[in-house]
């Protein structure tokens, strides 16, 4: 079960891909079993990851936020996936909505601020909904808009785009919200910024993350 969940959530694999990989390892299950396992146990693992994550200080993730949104198709209908990452690339919040107006932006911002408080800087694109929502909330003075300033958040959409292709598009808003929230927690857990550390340090961090993952499943 642990192996099936980490394969499906962390890597851009379909349910049947996971079924075939597990069969190669001598585990004979149906792809629907993989679906049940990630639905049933994935949120439990994500909650434990969020509880155990320790930041250097209380305001570690509040220095700078990067916000961005992309469109996704759910049963052929356009929806919007909002994402917030901090200055280190850690995913703070993911939110799916039918619109990208001021109301949706306010819901998104309030969700982040409820968990992390107010940031020093918020970097966004030129979408007017951000400015309107921030004026209502009262933190418009911390917004920054500029060319290429928001590349960190735009690049963080790439794993979900790969997932969208592997899953043959998304079919339900509720299940998409559930999956992207789970995916964000797993991404944060295994994200080691390998281009910023030595090979030795990266291997140490990777082994530590895997041990912690196994402990989550054993609890």
């Amino acid at each position: 079960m642990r192996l099936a969940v980490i394969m499906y959530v962390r890597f851009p694999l379909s349910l049947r891909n996971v079924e075939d990989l597990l069969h190669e390892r001598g585990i004979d299950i149906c792809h629907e079993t993989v679906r049940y396992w990630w639905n049933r146990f994935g949120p439990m693992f994500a909650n434990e990851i969020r509880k155990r994550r320790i930041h250097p200080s209380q305001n570690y993730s509040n220095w700078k936020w990067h916000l961005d949104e992309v469109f996704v198709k759910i049963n052929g209908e356009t929806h919007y996936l909002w994402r917030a990452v901090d200055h280190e690339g850690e995913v703070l919040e993911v939110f799916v909505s039918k619109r990208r107006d001021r109301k949706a932006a306010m819901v998104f911002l309030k969700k982040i601020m409820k968990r992390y408080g107010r940031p020093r800087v918020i970097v966004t694109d030129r979408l007017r909904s951000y400015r309107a929502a921030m004026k209502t909330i009262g933190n418009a003075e911390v917004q920054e808009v500029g060319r290429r300033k928001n590349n960190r958040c735009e690049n963080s959409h790439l794993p979900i785009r790969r997932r969208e292709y592997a899953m043959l598009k998304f079919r339900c808003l509720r299940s998409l919200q559930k999956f992207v929230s789970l995916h964000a927690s797993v991404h944060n857990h295994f994200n080691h910024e390998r281009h910023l550390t030595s090979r030795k340090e990266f291997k140490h961090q990777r082994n530590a993350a895997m041990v912690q993952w196994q402990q989550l499943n054993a609890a």
Side-chain angles (χ1 to χ4, degrees):
M1 177 268 292
R2 173 184 58 81
L3 183 59
V5 173
I6 193 174
M7 278 184 173
Y8 183 67
V9 177
R10 188 181 176 193
F11 304 107
L13 300 172
S14 67
L15 296 169
R16 287 176 172 80
N17 290 151
V18 177
E19 176 187 356
D20 292 340
L21 289 172
L22 292 177
H23 181 266
E24 184 181 358
R25 290 162 172 78
I27 304 173
D28 186 14
I29 60 172
C30 174
H31 69 276
E32 289 297 335
T33 304
V34 180
R35 187 196 306 275
Y36 171 79
W37 281 347
W38 89 258
N39 265 297
R40 176 68 176 84
F41 300 106
M44 297 170 55
F45 299 154
N47 289 334
E48 287 298 318
I49 289 173
R50 284 192 289 268
K51 289 179 182 178
R52 297 191 184 195
R53 287 190 67 79
I54 300 175
H55 293 305
S57 66
Q58 184 178 0
N59 296 324
Y60 175 75
S61 290
N62 289 8
W63 177 53
K64 181 182 289 187
W65 293 354
H66 297 259
L67 311 184
D68 192 44
E69 77 292 333
V70 293
F71 73 90
V72 294
K73 291 286 187 178
I74 303 179
N75 285 331
E77 184 178 353
T78 301
H79 290 68
Y80 298 93
L81 176 63
W82 306 71
R83 182 182 301 273
V85 301
D86 67 7
H87 58 284
E88 295 288 347
E90 180 165 324
V91 182
L92 304 176
E93 189 65 60
V94 187
F95 174 62
V96 184
S97 68
K98 293 184 178 180
R99 301 177 182 273
R100 57 172 180 173
D101 52 10
R102 180 181 65 88
K103 183 178 179 180
M106 283 187 61
V107 173
F108 179 50
L109 286 167
K110 287 180 178 179
K111 286 186 66 176
I112 314 171
M113 293 171 62
K114 183 178 180 180
R115 179 178 295 179
Y116 298 98
R118 290 179 178 268
R120 301 179 189 176
V121 179
I122 300 179
V123 182
T124 70
D125 56 19
R126 300 185 184 278
L127 182 68
R128 294 180 180 179
S129 300
Y130 289 121
R131 172 66 67 178
M134 291 181 191
K135 284 184 178 179
T136 303
I137 296 174
N139 60 352
E141 68 281 356
V142 301
Q143 184 183 17
E144 288 187 4
V145 179
R147 188 178 183 184
R148 299 188 181 92
K149 279 190 174 183
N150 212 24
N151 285 353
R152 179 173 289 277
C153 191
E154 292 174 357
N155 291 337
S156 72
H157 291 302
L158 295 178
I160 293 299
R161 285 302 192 197
R162 299 187 189 104
R163 292 297 324 193
E164 184 179 22
Y165 178 78
M167 298 169 72
L168 302 178
K169 305 295 183 180
F170 304 112
R171 296 176 177 83
C172 175
L173 187 150
R174 184 176 179 181
S175 64
L176 173 58
Q177 179 67 67
K178 183 177 181 179
F179 180 83
V180 293
S181 298
L182 170 59
H183 185 275
S185 295
V186 174
H187 169 79
N188 290 339
H189 184 71
F190 289 101
N191 181 28
H192 308 304
E193 297 288 344
R194 62 190 304 169
H195 61 289
L196 300 178
T197 59
S198 64
R199 177 64 181 175
K200 181 178 180 180
E201 180 64 21
F202 166 71
K203 290 172 65 176
H204 173 73
Q205 293 178 354
R206 182 173 60 181
N207 292 336
M210 186 58 66
V211 170
Q212 293 173 8
W213 173 263
Q214 294 170 348
Q215 291 174 349
L216 290 176
N217 290 271

